[in-house]
Amino acid sequence: MKMKKIFTILIALCTLTGAYAQGFGHRAAGINEMEIGDRIDFEVLSYLHFGFNGIVKNDDLSGKTSFFNSQQFGFNMVELAFRPYESGKISLGADVEWNWFHLNKDYVWVPLSEGSSSPFTSGGTRLGIFPKELAGVREVKRSIFSVCTFGFPINFTQRFGKGAFQLGVTPELNLNGYVQFKGTNLMGESIDEMRSGARYTKNINTNNFSFNVHAAISYGGLGLYFKYRPLNVVKENYGPQFNTFTVGLVLGIGV
């Protein structure tokens, strides 16, 4: 059932983003791009991406999360590009990105305050992982750790006909992470910290600065990208130490 839902989402994304790339994307290319000089362009909202996060280098998370239940979504805000020749460009941009890390239904992300090992303490700045029973939970529908990131990608893009290839590195500024939960407690009462907008915490200490390396290939504006972040997401002593890779769809490269 889970795999069927994943494939349905992927097909829908491919259809929608493919239509955008072939239709509106090409028409908008002349609208959101401003030529500053013979070789310099300024673009707004030039691309967006959606992918799945894999977690690497962490024994604490082994078997507790999977590639298909952690996602990433982001988009470009602005990009300044220098074109050394007609089919190639070197660019500096500003992106915003969200990463969601879901645990499987036997475990729960919990915030911990300094010096405490009790789950769900107010004002928690540390990230813990608890079996659901120890966290006072009967059923887990969603247990999510989320991080919002501002990135400044430095890219080289090479076009070939309707296709394009891109390589780059992105210095990143990470906001503090937050934890959300949806399910029932041991009494069977519903807990929905997602729908209500309430959060257990939004103060999980992430590494403020990080970077990723990435590559993408596209045709007609729709393509695939790979991203690897070699630094840990959470600060040392503030939660499980893990880094990530991402594989997904990108829209707008080469349009």
Side-chain angles (χ1 to χ4, degrees), residues 2 44 62 97 103 105 126 130 157 159 175 188 253:
K2 182 183 288 187
V44 178
S62 179
E97 177 181 284
L103 294 177
K105 295 185 178 182
R126 295 164 53 231
F130 278 63
T157 307
R159 293 201 312 271
L175 302 183
I253 299 296

Side-chain angles (χ1 to χ4, degrees), residues 50-70:
F50 172 85
F52 295 99
N53 287 318
I55 292 176
V56 294
K57 291 179 62 177
N58 186 272
D59 294 336
D60 291 335
L61 287 169
S62 179
K64 300 173 185 175
T65 186
S66 69
F67 175 71
F68 284 110
N69 68 2
S70 295

Side-chain angles (χ1 to χ4, degrees), residues 55-62 64-65 101-103 107-112 125-130 143-147 179 204-207 229-244:
I55 292 176
V56 294
K57 291 179 62 177
N58 186 272
D59 294 336
D60 291 335
L61 287 169
S62 179
K64 300 173 185 175
T65 186
F101 302 101
H102 298 240
L103 294 177
Y107 295 90
V108 182
W109 294 113
V110 295
L112 303 170
T125 58
R126 295 164 53 231
L127 183 66
I129 305 170
F130 278 63
S143 181
I144 305 172
F145 170 56
S146 304
V147 180
V179 172
I204 299 296
N205 278 284
T206 60
N207 275 312
R229 180 180 285 112
L231 300 180
N232 290 313
V233 176
V234 181
K235 284 182 180 179
E236 190 174 2
N237 300 322
Y238 281 91
Q241 299 296 282
F242 65 95
N243 52 57
T244 65

